[in-house]
Amino acid sequence: MREKSIGKKKLFRFFKDRSLAIGAGIIIIYAVLVCIVPFFLKGESQNLANALHRPDREFLFGADEAGRGLFRRVLEGGRIDLMIAVCGVSFAYILALPFGLCAGYVGGNVDRVISVVSESILTFPSMVLSIFVVTIFGSSFWGLVFTIAVTQAPQLIRYIRGFVMQVKNLEYIEAGKAVGSTTYFILTRHIIRNITGNTAVILSLMASEALLVASALGFLGLGVQPPTAELGTMLSRGRMYFDMAPHLMIFPGLFIAILILGFNLLGDGIRNRLDSKKT
């Protein structure tokens, strides 16, 4: 019983920050909504008689230009975009972590080479670079995932390098070196653990940026292609019917905005939590 009460207290303290609680709540509810609810909805077939039907009891979000219910389509598109953002940022972290650790911990020529390469890539505007990379990997789910990973990894390398340089000269790191701890042990047991909080803030904010990139590429016709639902692509197709059926753009845009808000609030909440610990 005592262990349960301690666990509840820790959970309460963790979510004491409003931004953290609201951001985590938005993402959890969003994930449950887009990942579970569609499986309880019947598949929507094309019926031109219902084309551009406005929202009502039968069509909660209305119907698209092909007469398909927009509610299920938006949920499926939200799931695709959420997976693209999470997988893309995760792959970016996997790519950036070893280079950021080497640049920050080893320093010297290794740091110079890695920094020059990453900074050179960052000189390109992110959207232009994304368009260039997606033409190489292709307009598909995994193409967008790899595009986000490749375009965000250089920025993440710079952040991780800075975090490592802040902690590598701390006393307990020097003590570990003095007692003969291996570099691998110091990196995995001390440095990575120490920078996890700051990295989580960056990854959360990058997830919102990744969602924007995926939606923008879809809007430009370079995202996941129909018949697969994707929010950016739905926005692009909906703009042709905006005067007659504005719901075709309102609901996909609303889901994009809500998820971006959730990731931003989550990042702000984690940062506030870290700052409160320092003080």
Side-chain angles (χ1 to χ4, degrees):
M1 293 293 291
R2 187 177 180 182
E3 290 180 357
K4 289 183 178 179
S5 63
I6 292 174
K8 288 181 179 179
K9 287 181 179 179
K10 288 183 178 179
L11 187 64
F12 175 76
R13 289 175 184 172
F14 184 76
F15 287 109
K16 191 175 181 180
D17 184 272
R18 287 186 179 180
S19 296
L20 182 60
I22 295 173
I26 289 174
I27 294 173
I28 291 172
I29 294 172
Y30 186 99
V32 171
L33 188 63
V34 302
C35 294
I36 297 178
V37 173
F39 294 103
F40 294 94
L41 300 175
K42 63 179 182 179
E44 296 286 350
S45 58
Q46 295 186 10
N47 185 355
L48 294 179
N50 296 322
L52 304 182
H53 195 287
R54 293 185 177 274
D56 58 13
R57 291 185 178 181
E58 183 180 1
F59 295 95
L60 190 60
F61 284 3
D64 63 9
E65 70 279 7
R68 296 169 295 189
L70 196 62
F71 182 59
R72 182 187 175 95
R73 298 277 299 170
V74 169
L75 294 183
E76 291 176 346
R79 182 175 71 249
I80 292 295
D81 278 21
L82 177 62
M83 292 172 63
I84 289 173
V86 172
C87 292
V89 171
S90 299
F91 279 123
Y93 178 71
I94 293 172
L95 286 173
L97 183 61
F99 291 104
L101 289 175
C102 289
Y105 188 77
V106 178
N109 291 328
V110 173
D111 181 23
R112 293 190 193 94
V113 172
I114 294 175
S115 297
V116 167
V117 173
S118 59
E119 293 292 339
S120 298
I121 296 175
L122 288 173
T123 57
F124 293 93
S126 59
M127 200 61 218
V128 175
L129 183 61
S130 298
I131 293 173
F132 173 75
V133 176
V134 80
T135 57
I136 297 175
F137 290 112
S139 299
S140 63
F141 174 85
W142 288 110
L144 286 178
V145 168
F146 291 133
T147 297
I148 290 171
V150 170
T151 54
Q152 290 195 338
Q155 185 178 0
L156 193 52
I157 288 173
R158 184 173 63 178
Y159 282 117
I160 294 175
R161 171 185 174 273
F163 297 150
V164 172
M165 294 182 71
Q166 290 177 2
V167 304
K168 72 174 184 178
N169 293 323
L170 295 177
E171 291 182 359
Y172 69 91
I173 303 291
E174 296 295 336
K177 294 178 183 178
V179 298
S181 298
T182 62
T183 301
Y184 177 80
F185 182 87
I186 291 173
L187 289 174
T188 55
R189 292 297 182 90
H190 296 306
I191 291 182
I192 291 180
R193 286 186 178 183
N194 201 290
I195 68 174
T196 297
N198 290 326
T199 306
V201 176
I202 300 302
L203 290 177
S204 180
L205 298 177
M206 279 189 167
S208 64
E209 183 181 346
L211 183 63
L212 274 176
V213 170
S215 302
L217 290 174
F219 189 82
L220 294 174
L222 298 173
V224 179
Q225 299 300 306
T228 303
E230 193 275 322
L231 297 179
T233 304
M234 294 171 70
L235 279 173
S236 179
R237 296 174 67 89
R239 64 177 176 169
M240 295 184 291
Y241 307 97
F242 185 74
D243 292 337
M244 297 178 290
H247 60 274
L248 294 183
M249 294 191 70
I250 291 174
F251 291 111
L254 184 62
F255 268 62
I256 294 172
I258 289 173
L259 188 54
I260 290 174
L261 176 64
F263 279 122
N264 285 334
L265 287 175
L266 181 65
D268 290 340
I270 296 174
R271 182 177 56 196
N272 295 337
R273 180 68 179 164
L274 294 174
D275 292 340
S276 65
K277 284 185 176 182
K278 291 177 182 179
T279 56

